[in-house]
Structure formats: structure tokens, C-alpha cells
């Protein structure tokens, strides 16, 4: 049984990276029901707190993994510590490495036109044995969306990784997950930009010190308003702790 830690309105899985990767691969091999994974950070938790429909959408996933370090801090404050951070980018990379030498196929959907192409090229260089079923950028109108869904269903990838940003990627899965001929759906945010070399992750030392948000802010100062969700997130968690 999956252990759940409730942080504000979301039910976060207390799971390690190794555990979820193994769970997903076993699910694919054994032909179990489709699995859907979202990777909320502090900003997404606040968005869900403010929007009941979005909260409901997220909680309907099979897994909610703690992407941001803020969730680990919050869980400790609430007396229910999470085992480790399971960020969407890291989960994506670990899954790709694990399935590269297996008969498991992958489809990339998201990013700007050209970005996902570069991401696929770089992944193929890094993991030449990876079974890349297909890919498409994430700028979809109604006609293109139908074409992409048809392409996915024809190619039957085991894993569909969608990187359209929040909340577009989650709404995509909420609307079409049942129609998709896949076994695992995973949201990966801006991961294709990183793999394509168009964006950089924070150095490991900054990640370990919970400063990745600051590194992103330095890279993209326009994110400042979005970053205001972080202090509000901590305030809401403290308030919940006091209420408890």
C-alpha cells in the first residue's frame, strides 16, 4: 500500500526514486492498469490549494511525487517526513536510463517547435538503445491535438512524457488519459528544454541546499511573481500545523 503524506490539499506519495522507477517498470511488464504520475512542487501545491478543481485533478493521479524541496520541508514541519525528493526531471532521466536496454518505448510530447527535436537528438546520443516511439512539440491547436493523439495511439508507446508546463500538461492528461494507448503517463515540465541544452538546472550543491528556486530566478527574473507562491506556501503549512 502506498504511503500518503497530506500537504495542504494534495496527497503526496512518500516514495523513493528507486521505488517508483521499479513500480512503473513492473507495471509495464505485467500489463497492469495505466499509471499516471504528476510531480508537484510548492508552487503547484499553492495553485491546488486555491483551485479545488485543479486539486481534484492532481489527486486523481496514481502518484504525486514531491518535486520541490519545499515539500520535504513542509512534511517535516507537519511531523510526517518524506523519504526523499522525487523531481520530475530526475524521474524522467532515471526512467529513460532504466528502460534504454529494455523492450519499453517512449514518446516525448511538449516544448517549443524544434526544442523537442533537439532533446530527442541528445537523448539518442546519450542512450542509443532507447526505443523512441515518437515525439511532437507541445503547441497544439484542436486539429493538431487530434493528429498527435492518433499518432500516439498508432505507435503505442509504453511511456508518454508530457512537458507543456503547469497546468496545461496536467489538463492534457486529465482530458485524454483514458483515450491514450499508453501504459505510463508522466508530466515533466520544462525538462525538454534542459535536455535540449536551452536551459540549465541548478548545480548539485544548490539543489542539496534547497536553492534551486533561487537559481531559476537568476536565470529567469520574470519568474519573480511566481516565486511569491513559495513564502505563501510556507505560511499555509505553518497555519495548518498550528491548526492541527
Amino acid at each position: 500500500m502506498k504511503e500518503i503524506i497530506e500537504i495542504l490539499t494534495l496527497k503526496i506519495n512518500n516514495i523513493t526514486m528507486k521505488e517508483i522507477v521499479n513500480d512503473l517498470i513492473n507495471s509495464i511488464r505485467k500489463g497492469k492498469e495505466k499509471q499516471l504520475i504528476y510531480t508537484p512542487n510548492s508552487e503547484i501545491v499553492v495553485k491546488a490549494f486555491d483551485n479545488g478543481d485543479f486539486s481534484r485533478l492532481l489527486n486523481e493521479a496514481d502518484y504525486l511525487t514531491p518535486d520541490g524541496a519545499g515539500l520535504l520541508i513542509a512534511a517535516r514541519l507537519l511531523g510526517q517526513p518524506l523519504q526523499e525528493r522525487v523531481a520530475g526531471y530526475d524521474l524522467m532521466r532515471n526512467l529513460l536510463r532504466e528502460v534504454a536496454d529494455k523492450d519499453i518505448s517512449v514518446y516525448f510530447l511538449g516544448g517549443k517547435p524544434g526544442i523537442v527535436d533537439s532533446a530527442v537528438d541528445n537523448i539518442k546520443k546519450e542512450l542509443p538503445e532507447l526505443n523512441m516511439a515518437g515525439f511532437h512539440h507541445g503547441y497544439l491547436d484542436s486539429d493538431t491535438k487530434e493528429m498527435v493523439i492518433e499518432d500516439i495511439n498508432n505507435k503505442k508507446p509504453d511511456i508518454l512524457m508530457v512537458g507543456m508546463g503547469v497546468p496545461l500538461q496536467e489538463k492534457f492528461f486529465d482530458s485524454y488519459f483514458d483515450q491514450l494507448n499508453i501504459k505510463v503517463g508522466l508530466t515533466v515540465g520544462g525538462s525538454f528544454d534542459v535536455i535540449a541544452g536551452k536551459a540549465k538546472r541548478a548545480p548539485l550543491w544548490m539543489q542539496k541546499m534547497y536553492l534551486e528556486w533561487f537559481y531559476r530566478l537568476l536565470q529567469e527574473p520574470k519568474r519573480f511573481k511566481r516565486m511569491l507562491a513559495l513564502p505563501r506556501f510556507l505560511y499555509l503549512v505553518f497555519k495548518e500545523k498550528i491548526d492541527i
Side-chain angles (χ1 to χ4, degrees):
M1 184 176 179
K2 303 172 187 174
E3 183 184 358
I4 300 295
I5 305 297
E6 291 195 22
I7 300 180
L8 300 183
T9 64
L10 296 186
K11 299 177 180 179
I12 307 297
N13 289 99
N14 189 8
I15 194 168
T16 66
M17 180 68 72
K18 183 176 181 180
E19 287 170 344
I20 190 168
V21 169
N22 288 340
D23 284 356
L24 295 177
I25 291 176
N26 288 335
S27 177
I28 292 169
R29 284 174 164 170
K30 295 177 180 178
K32 294 182 178 180
E33 291 185 3
K34 293 192 288 187
Q35 304 289 303
L36 179 59
I37 306 96
Y38 297 141
T39 57
N41 58 18
S42 304
E43 182 183 345
I44 295 173
V45 175
V46 171
K47 190 182 293 288
F49 180 84
D50 291 335
N51 187 322
D53 288 338
F54 188 51
S55 178
R56 183 266 319 158
L57 181 160
L58 292 174
N59 280 325
E60 287 181 352
D62 297 284
Y63 292 91
L64 291 182
T65 68
D67 181 283
L71 273 71
L72 273 67
I73 296 172
R76 282 206 299 269
L77 288 171
L78 295 171
Q80 303 177 78
L82 290 159
Q83 296 181 75
E84 66 180 28
R85 181 186 180 197
V86 182
Y89 178 82
D90 296 325
L91 178 53
M92 175 185 186
R93 295 304 299 255
N94 277 279
L95 263 178
L96 291 174
R97 282 192 288 267
E98 286 297 317
V99 305
D101 60 349
K102 299 175 176 63
D103 187 23
I104 294 176
S105 59
V106 180
Y107 194 110
F108 284 0
L109 174 61
K112 294 180 180 178
I115 293 293
V116 70
D117 307 63
S118 297
V120 169
D121 288 343
N122 289 341
I123 281 294
K124 285 182 176 179
K125 291 174 185 176
E126 180 184 340
L127 302 169
E129 296 180 356
L130 181 68
N131 184 352
M132 179 61 66
F135 60 93
H136 198 280
H137 65 75
Y139 285 68
L140 309 177
D141 57 26
S142 57
D143 291 336
T144 309
K145 193 174 292 182
E146 288 185 13
M147 181 195 73
V148 168
I149 290 172
E150 183 178 356
D151 186 51
I152 292 169
N153 287 339
N154 287 337
K155 292 176 176 174
K156 304 176 183 178
D158 294 299
I159 304 173
L160 172 61
M161 298 182 171
V162 176
M164 295 179 179
V166 179
L168 291 180
Q169 57 194 10
E170 291 81 8
K171 288 183 176 180
F172 175 84
F173 273 131
D174 187 55
S175 297
Y176 302 107
F177 187 65
D178 290 341
Q179 301 177 32
L180 293 168
N181 195 354
I182 62 175
K183 297 177 182 176
V184 169
L186 171 66
T187 55
V188 298
S191 296
F192 299 142
D193 291 314
V194 178
I195 294 174
K198 299 299 181 181
K200 294 182 179 180
R201 289 195 80 195
L204 187 59
W205 69 267
M206 292 189 81
Q207 294 181 43
K208 289 182 177 180
M209 294 182 68
Y210 300 167
L211 291 174
E212 192 165 13
W213 64 270
F214 183 63
Y215 185 82
R216 288 179 182 173
L217 183 60
L218 291 176
Q219 284 192 312
E220 301 177 67
K222 63 183 180 180
R223 294 175 65 100
F224 175 75
K225 287 186 178 180
R226 290 175 55 183
M227 292 296 180
L228 294 177
L230 301 181
R232 181 160 178 253
F233 169 73
L234 291 175
Y235 164 77
L236 291 170
V237 171
F238 274 116
K239 186 173 182 296
E240 182 171 296
K241 179 179 174 62
I242 292 171
D243 289 345
I244 290 173

